[in-house]
Amino acid sequence: MDALLIVDFQNDFCPGGALPVAEGDRIAEPINELLDVFDLVVATRDWHPADHGSFVGVQVDPVKWQGVDPPAIWPVHCVQGTPGAELHPRLEREKVDYVLDKGMDRWSQGYSGFHDSGLAELLREKDVDRVFIAGLTTDYCVKNTVLDARKLGLDVVVVEDAIRGVDVEPGDSERALGEMEAAGARLATSDQVIADRA
């Protein structure tokens, strides 16, 4: 069984949001085109408490912090229940089978879609052995989701025209793609994926 996994395609990560990714909204079209060729579609959301440890200015106990990056480095974003945390309105939400939230523990960075979200359990329950991953952002949540999927033994295809990166440092997204490929993920365009599944 294959699944399409849409990582954090949320308002705050798109132009006009609290932590905008250049052209983050441009992934809507390729994602929507993919929705009809998958029987299982799962979307993840950052769903942070207002005092989440990743936010600038929040005091964090370093002993409690669970994350690959230091705490308190990002602007306040994707706070639970706010418009910025909602899935982007151009995503055809009615075609998404499950929405799973992550980053709800204030001490957990929650980059990966698998981190305390129930995603691994859901994919096992549905006998999924291959995931096609799209969403935001290439160099953080997409990358960490892909790496965790590979650690779980899943085949992974990254839909390269349906992702965008933050690029805090120039080249971060390209390096992230290299890391994902080195871990065994394959890159494909949405057109290639659709053609292969026709």
Side-chain angles (χ1 to χ4, degrees):
M1 173 95 170
D2 293 342
L4 175 63
L5 180 55
I6 305 163
V7 177
D8 300 1
F9 185 25
Q10 293 166 269
N11 292 324
D12 268 348
F13 295 131
C14 292
L19 185 49
V21 176
E23 298 187 343
D25 54 339
R26 298 283 294 277
I27 67 172
E29 184 177 350
I31 288 176
N32 286 337
E33 289 174 354
L34 289 165
L35 293 174
D36 290 327
V37 299
F38 286 91
D39 293 327
L40 179 63
V41 179
V42 181
T44 67
R45 297 187 299 192
D46 265 359
W47 198 248
H48 297 317
D51 59 353
H52 192 253
S54 72
F55 298 162
V56 170
V58 172
Q59 296 299 308
V60 178
D61 181 343
V63 176
K64 293 182 180 176
W65 181 244
Q66 301 173 49
V68 295
D69 283 335
I73 61 172
W74 297 113
V76 174
H77 65 278
C78 297
V79 173
Q80 299 171 5
T82 64
E86 294 302 328
L87 294 173
H88 195 275
R90 285 177 57 202
L91 174 66
E92 294 177 15
R93 173 75 180 265
E94 69 279 2
K95 296 179 181 177
V96 176
D97 299 301
Y98 296 91
V99 177
L100 301 180
D101 296 328
K102 62 188 182 66
M104 295 182 284
D105 179 342
R106 68 172 300 213
W107 304 116
S108 167
Q109 205 158 44
Y111 283 161
S112 170
F114 289 93
H115 196 145
D116 294 336
S117 67
L119 177 58
E121 294 79 4
L122 174 65
L123 297 181
R124 272 198 298 272
E125 178 188 312
K126 301 293 185 182
D127 291 324
V128 172
D129 53 10
R130 181 167 63 166
V131 288
F132 291 72
I133 296 181
L136 303 171
T137 63
T138 306
D139 34 354
Y140 288 93
C141 295
V142 168
K143 179 184 82 171
N144 283 278
T145 301
V146 167
L147 296 179
D148 279 356
R150 290 296 300 137
K151 287 175 190 169
L152 289 168
L154 294 165
D155 287 335
V156 178
V157 178
V158 179
V159 188
E160 54 190 326
D161 58 324
I163 56 174
R164 293 290 188 279
V166 181
D167 280 323
V168 171
E169 298 292 335
D172 277 355
S173 292
E174 283 303 314
R175 284 187 288 274
L177 287 171
E179 282 184 62
M180 291 186 265
E181 286 188 292
R186 187 166 65 84
L187 304 182
T189 66
S190 56
D191 286 346
Q192 289 170 329
V193 172
I194 290 165
D196 287 348
R197 301 180 67 79

